[in-house]
Amino acid sequence: MKNERLRSVLINSGYTEQQLAEELGLDPKSVQRWITRGVTPRRPAAYRTAKLLEVPVAWLWPDLEGDREATSQSEVVTHYAHRANTPRQLWNDLLTSTKSDIWILANASLFLPEENPDSIEIIRAKARDGVKVRLVLGDPDSPEMVLRGVEERLYDAIPARIRMALTYYSPLVGTPGIDFMLHRTSLYNSIFRYDDQMLVNQHMYGTYGYIAPILHLRRIEGADLFDTYLNSFERVWETAAPIEESNFWQQRTRTGEATTPPPSARP
């Protein structure tokens, strides 16, 4: 049976069979068989095709959608009951092995530079090597961070921890390849993306971050759990503002401390 849906979408997209095959790195005869014989491609090729043509994969190949849930579950590498149980070396290994993207979304993420003292310099070196770094932490002067302190019964300690964390991360401000923003959201999850792997600190009301669980994900073509967290990151990013516009940074600039790391972070 011919795949008339694929034929129609292909025509409307402006792609030829040859051009689509070249984009996918396949033999044009493979694409031709998808259309003329109704052959269902392998899952990675099907999802790449749907993405290129900007249509749902289920519209082109409905039979591929049946086991989507099982595919998404396969993105879960492991689950740690508490962040404190996560191997320290795992954070460092993921950071050092990254080739294209480092995204960090948190309120403070103070544990990262304190438990891995080289992490700030590694991030800066990665940016110099062409890795895209997107860093978004909480604005310590926002009411949302004050509320978080109340919820965790740490009160003023939460904004204070964020200020300390921002001091650690401040040498990254202005580094080419690094976008540094501050958010004012009720953060549901801290997200740490390293290329196609991700660690998600799943926050719970009134529970400290190091007690909350960690979900380790690895992206798989055709699944959507990894991408769901990426979309959440993007939503926060849309509302965030550059750190240079914050009261925190203006205060540091006035005192001449804008690029001065804390003592424990200095060589």
mmCIF file with all atom_site columns, all heavy atoms in Angstrom, residues 166-179:
data_model
loop_
_atom_site.group_PDB
_atom_site.id
_atom_site.type_symbol
_atom_site.label_atom_id
_atom_site.label_alt_id
_atom_site.label_comp_id
_atom_site.label_asym_id
_atom_site.label_entity_id
_atom_site.label_seq_id
_atom_site.pdbx_PDB_ins_code
_atom_site.Cartn_x
_atom_site.Cartn_y
_atom_site.Cartn_z
_atom_site.occupancy
_atom_site.B_iso_or_equiv
_atom_site.pdbx_formal_charge
_atom_site.auth_seq_id
_atom_site.auth_comp_id
_atom_site.auth_asym_id
_atom_site.auth_atom_id
_atom_site.pdbx_PDB_model_num
ATOM 1   N N   . LEU A 1 166 ? 26.146 32.338 43.043 1.00 0.00 ? 166 LEU A N   1
ATOM 2   C CA  . LEU A 1 166 ? 26.412 33.292 41.966 1.00 0.00 ? 166 LEU A CA  1
ATOM 3   C C   . LEU A 1 166 ? 27.830 33.830 42.043 1.00 0.00 ? 166 LEU A C   1
ATOM 4   O O   . LEU A 1 166 ? 28.450 34.140 41.026 1.00 0.00 ? 166 LEU A O   1
ATOM 5   C CB  . LEU A 1 166 ? 25.398 34.438 42.024 1.00 0.00 ? 166 LEU A CB  1
ATOM 6   C CG  . LEU A 1 166 ? 23.956 34.071 41.664 1.00 0.00 ? 166 LEU A CG  1
ATOM 7   C CD1 . LEU A 1 166 ? 23.036 35.271 41.895 1.00 0.00 ? 166 LEU A CD1 1
ATOM 8   C CD2 . LEU A 1 166 ? 23.851 33.587 40.226 1.00 0.00 ? 166 LEU A CD2 1
ATOM 9   N N   . THR A 1 167 ? 28.357 33.932 43.241 1.00 0.00 ? 167 THR A N   1
ATOM 10  C CA  . THR A 1 167 ? 29.741 34.362 43.400 1.00 0.00 ? 167 THR A CA  1
ATOM 11  C C   . THR A 1 167 ? 30.692 33.327 42.812 1.00 0.00 ? 167 THR A C   1
ATOM 12  O O   . THR A 1 167 ? 31.679 33.667 42.144 1.00 0.00 ? 167 THR A O   1
ATOM 13  C CB  . THR A 1 167 ? 30.062 34.598 44.883 1.00 0.00 ? 167 THR A CB  1
ATOM 14  O OG1 . THR A 1 167 ? 29.168 35.589 45.401 1.00 0.00 ? 167 THR A OG1 1
ATOM 15  C CG2 . THR A 1 167 ? 31.492 35.095 45.056 1.00 0.00 ? 167 THR A CG2 1
ATOM 16  N N   . TYR A 1 168 ? 30.406 32.060 43.035 1.00 0.00 ? 168 TYR A N   1
ATOM 17  C CA  . TYR A 1 168 ? 31.218 30.999 42.433 1.00 0.00 ? 168 TYR A CA  1
ATOM 18  C C   . TYR A 1 168 ? 31.149 31.053 40.905 1.00 0.00 ? 168 TYR A C   1
ATOM 19  O O   . TYR A 1 168 ? 32.162 30.920 40.219 1.00 0.00 ? 168 TYR A O   1
ATOM 20  C CB  . TYR A 1 168 ? 30.715 29.626 42.884 1.00 0.00 ? 168 TYR A CB  1
ATOM 21  C CG  . TYR A 1 168 ? 31.270 29.151 44.209 1.00 0.00 ? 168 TYR A CG  1
ATOM 22  C CD1 . TYR A 1 168 ? 30.479 29.152 45.361 1.00 0.00 ? 168 TYR A CD1 1
ATOM 23  C CD2 . TYR A 1 168 ? 32.579 28.685 44.313 1.00 0.00 ? 168 TYR A CD2 1
ATOM 24  C CE1 . TYR A 1 168 ? 30.970 28.704 46.572 1.00 0.00 ? 168 TYR A CE1 1
ATOM 25  C CE2 . TYR A 1 168 ? 33.089 28.232 45.530 1.00 0.00 ? 168 TYR A CE2 1
ATOM 26  C CZ  . TYR A 1 168 ? 32.277 28.238 46.654 1.00 0.00 ? 168 TYR A CZ  1
ATOM 27  O OH  . TYR A 1 168 ? 32.769 27.799 47.854 1.00 0.00 ? 168 TYR A OH  1
ATOM 28  N N   . TYR A 1 169 ? 29.924 31.225 40.394 1.00 0.00 ? 169 TYR A N   1
ATOM 29  C CA  . TYR A 1 169 ? 29.723 31.168 38.950 1.00 0.00 ? 169 TYR A CA  1
ATOM 30  C C   . TYR A 1 169 ? 30.069 32.480 38.245 1.00 0.00 ? 169 TYR A C   1
ATOM 31  O O   . TYR A 1 169 ? 30.153 32.517 37.013 1.00 0.00 ? 169 TYR A O   1
ATOM 32  C CB  . TYR A 1 169 ? 28.258 30.823 38.637 1.00 0.00 ? 169 TYR A CB  1
ATOM 33  C CG  . TYR A 1 169 ? 27.885 29.378 38.888 1.00 0.00 ? 169 TYR A CG  1
ATOM 34  C CD1 . TYR A 1 169 ? 27.278 28.987 40.079 1.00 0.00 ? 169 TYR A CD1 1
ATOM 35  C CD2 . TYR A 1 169 ? 28.122 28.401 37.922 1.00 0.00 ? 169 TYR A CD2 1
ATOM 36  C CE1 . TYR A 1 169 ? 26.924 27.664 40.308 1.00 0.00 ? 169 TYR A CE1 1
ATOM 37  C CE2 . TYR A 1 169 ? 27.766 27.083 38.138 1.00 0.00 ? 169 TYR A CE2 1
ATOM 38  C CZ  . TYR A 1 169 ? 27.165 26.713 39.340 1.00 0.00 ? 169 TYR A CZ  1
ATOM 39  O OH  . TYR A 1 169 ? 26.817 25.403 39.555 1.00 0.00 ? 169 TYR A OH  1
ATOM 40  N N   . SER A 1 170 ? 30.270 33.554 38.989 1.00 0.00 ? 170 SER A N   1
ATOM 41  C CA  . SER A 1 170 ? 30.459 34.877 38.389 1.00 0.00 ? 170 SER A CA  1
ATOM 42  C C   . SER A 1 170 ? 31.635 34.983 37.409 1.00 0.00 ? 170 SER A C   1
ATOM 43  O O   . SER A 1 170 ? 31.554 35.793 36.473 1.00 0.00 ? 170 SER A O   1
ATOM 44  C CB  . SER A 1 170 ? 30.599 35.946 39.483 1.00 0.00 ? 170 SER A CB  1
ATOM 45  O OG  . SER A 1 170 ? 31.734 35.710 40.285 1.00 0.00 ? 170 SER A OG  1
ATOM 46  N N   . PRO A 1 171 ? 32.731 34.202 37.555 1.00 0.00 ? 171 PRO A N   1
ATOM 47  C CA  . PRO A 1 171 ? 33.788 34.302 36.540 1.00 0.00 ? 171 PRO A CA  1
ATOM 48  C C   . PRO A 1 171 ? 33.340 33.912 35.136 1.00 0.00 ? 171 PRO A C   1
ATOM 49  O O   . PRO A 1 171 ? 34.031 34.211 34.166 1.00 0.00 ? 171 PRO A O   1
ATOM 50  C CB  . PRO A 1 171 ? 34.856 33.325 37.064 1.00 0.00 ? 171 PRO A CB  1
ATOM 51  C CG  . PRO A 1 171 ? 34.645 33.281 38.539 1.00 0.00 ? 171 PRO A CG  1
ATOM 52  C CD  . PRO A 1 171 ? 33.149 33.373 38.699 1.00 0.00 ? 171 PRO A CD  1
ATOM 53  N N   . LEU A 1 172 ? 32.180 33.262 35.025 1.00 0.00 ? 172 LEU A N   1
ATOM 54  C CA  . LEU A 1 172 ? 31.678 32.860 33.716 1.00 0.00 ? 172 LEU A CA  1
ATOM 55  C C   . LEU A 1 172 ? 30.939 33.987 33.001 1.00 0.00 ? 172 LEU A C   1
ATOM 56  O O   . LEU A 1 172 ? 30.712 33.915 31.790 1.00 0.00 ? 172 LEU A O   1
ATOM 57  C CB  . LEU A 1 172 ? 30.724 31.663 33.864 1.00 0.00 ? 172 LEU A CB  1
ATOM 58  C CG  . LEU A 1 172 ? 31.310 30.399 34.500 1.00 0.00 ? 172 LEU A CG  1
ATOM 59  C CD1 . LEU A 1 172 ? 30.223 29.332 34.638 1.00 0.00 ? 172 LEU A CD1 1
ATOM 60  C CD2 . LEU A 1 172 ? 32.485 29.873 33.700 1.00 0.00 ? 172 LEU A CD2 1
ATOM 61  N N   . VAL A 1 173 ? 30.570 35.039 33.735 1.00 0.00 ? 173 VAL A N   1
ATOM 62  C CA  . VAL A 1 173 ? 29.823 36.154 33.138 1.00 0.00 ? 173 VAL A CA  1
ATOM 63  C C   . VAL A 1 173 ? 30.688 36.852 32.089 1.00 0.00 ? 173 VAL A C   1
ATOM 64  O O   . VAL A 1 173 ? 31.835 37.210 32.340 1.00 0.00 ? 173 VAL A O   1
ATOM 65  C CB  . VAL A 1 173 ? 29.384 37.165 34.215 1.00 0.00 ? 173 VAL A CB  1
ATOM 66  C CG1 . VAL A 1 173 ? 28.672 38.349 33.575 1.00 0.00 ? 173 VAL A CG1 1
ATOM 67  C CG2 . VAL A 1 173 ? 28.479 36.488 35.235 1.00 0.00 ? 173 VAL A CG2 1
ATOM 68  N N   . GLY A 1 174 ? 30.114 37.023 30.902 1.00 0.00 ? 174 GLY A N   1
ATOM 69  C CA  . GLY A 1 174 ? 30.837 37.697 29.828 1.00 0.00 ? 174 GLY A CA  1
ATOM 70  C C   . GLY A 1 174 ? 31.735 36.793 29.018 1.00 0.00 ? 174 GLY A C   1
ATOM 71  O O   . GLY A 1 174 ? 32.343 37.249 28.044 1.00 0.00 ? 174 GLY A O   1
ATOM 72  N N   . THR A 1 175 ? 31.836 35.518 29.380 1.00 0.00 ? 175 THR A N   1
ATOM 73  C CA  . THR A 1 175 ? 32.660 34.584 28.622 1.00 0.00 ? 175 THR A CA  1
ATOM 74  C C   . THR A 1 175 ? 31.981 34.255 27.299 1.00 0.00 ? 175 THR A C   1
ATOM 75  O O   . THR A 1 175 ? 30.809 33.869 27.294 1.00 0.00 ? 175 THR A O   1
ATOM 76  C CB  . THR A 1 175 ? 32.889 33.282 29.417 1.00 0.00 ? 175 THR A CB  1
ATOM 77  O OG1 . THR A 1 175 ? 33.552 33.589 30.641 1.00 0.00 ? 175 THR A OG1 1
ATOM 78  C CG2 . THR A 1 175 ? 33.724 32.301 28.615 1.00 0.00 ? 175 THR A CG2 1
ATOM 79  N N   . PRO A 1 176 ? 32.654 34.413 26.168 1.00 0.00 ? 176 PRO A N   1
ATOM 80  C CA  . PRO A 1 176 ? 32.041 34.057 24.883 1.00 0.00 ? 176 PRO A CA  1
ATOM 81  C C   . PRO A 1 176 ? 31.555 32.610 24.893 1.00 0.00 ? 176 PRO A C   1
ATOM 82  O O   . PRO A 1 176 ? 32.265 31.709 25.339 1.00 0.00 ? 176 PRO A O   1
ATOM 83  C CB  . PRO A 1 176 ? 33.191 34.261 23.886 1.00 0.00 ? 176 PRO A CB  1
ATOM 84  C CG  . PRO A 1 176 ? 34.078 35.277 24.539 1.00 0.00 ? 176 PRO A CG  1
ATOM 85  C CD  . PRO A 1 176 ? 34.017 34.962 26.014 1.00 0.00 ? 176 PRO A CD  1
ATOM 86  N N   . GLY A 1 177 ? 30.331 32.417 24.411 1.00 0.00 ? 177 GLY A N   1
ATOM 87  C CA  . GLY A 1 177 ? 29.771 31.078 24.356 1.00 0.00 ? 177 GLY A CA  1
ATOM 88  C C   . GLY A 1 177 ? 28.946 30.712 25.572 1.00 0.00 ? 177 GLY A C   1
ATOM 89  O O   . GLY A 1 177 ? 28.336 29.641 25.615 1.00 0.00 ? 177 GLY A O   1
ATOM 90  N N   . ILE A 1 178 ? 28.925 31.608 26.590 1.00 0.00 ? 178 ILE A N   1
ATOM 91  C CA  . ILE A 1 178 ? 28.151 31.346 27.804 1.00 0.00 ? 178 ILE A CA  1
ATOM 92  C C   . ILE A 1 178 ? 27.074 32.398 27.950 1.00 0.00 ? 178 ILE A C   1
ATOM 93  O O   . ILE A 1 178 ? 27.356 33.597 28.017 1.00 0.00 ? 178 ILE A O   1
ATOM 94  C CB  . ILE A 1 178 ? 29.052 31.348 29.058 1.00 0.00 ? 178 ILE A CB  1
ATOM 95  C CG1 . ILE A 1 178 ? 30.101 30.227 28.970 1.00 0.00 ? 178 ILE A CG1 1
ATOM 96  C CG2 . ILE A 1 178 ? 28.196 31.182 30.320 1.00 0.00 ? 178 ILE A CG2 1
ATOM 97  C CD1 . ILE A 1 178 ? 31.044 30.177 30.160 1.00 0.00 ? 178 ILE A CD1 1
ATOM 98  N N   . ASP A 1 179 ? 25.819 31.961 28.006 1.00 0.00 ? 179 ASP A N   1
ATOM 99  C CA  . ASP A 1 179 ? 24.688 32.836 28.297 1.00 0.00 ? 179 ASP A CA  1
ATOM 100 C C   . ASP A 1 179 ? 24.292 32.604 29.746 1.00 0.00 ? 179 ASP A C   1
ATOM 101 O O   . ASP A 1 179 ? 23.932 31.486 30.125 1.00 0.00 ? 179 ASP A O   1
ATOM 102 C CB  . ASP A 1 179 ? 23.510 32.529 27.375 1.00 0.00 ? 179 ASP A CB  1
ATOM 103 C CG  . ASP A 1 179 ? 23.798 32.901 25.929 1.00 0.00 ? 179 ASP A CG  1
ATOM 104 O OD1 . ASP A 1 179 ? 24.429 33.946 25.718 1.00 0.00 ? 179 ASP A OD1 1
ATOM 105 O OD2 . ASP A 1 179 ? 23.405 32.144 25.029 1.00 0.00 ? 179 ASP A OD2 1
#
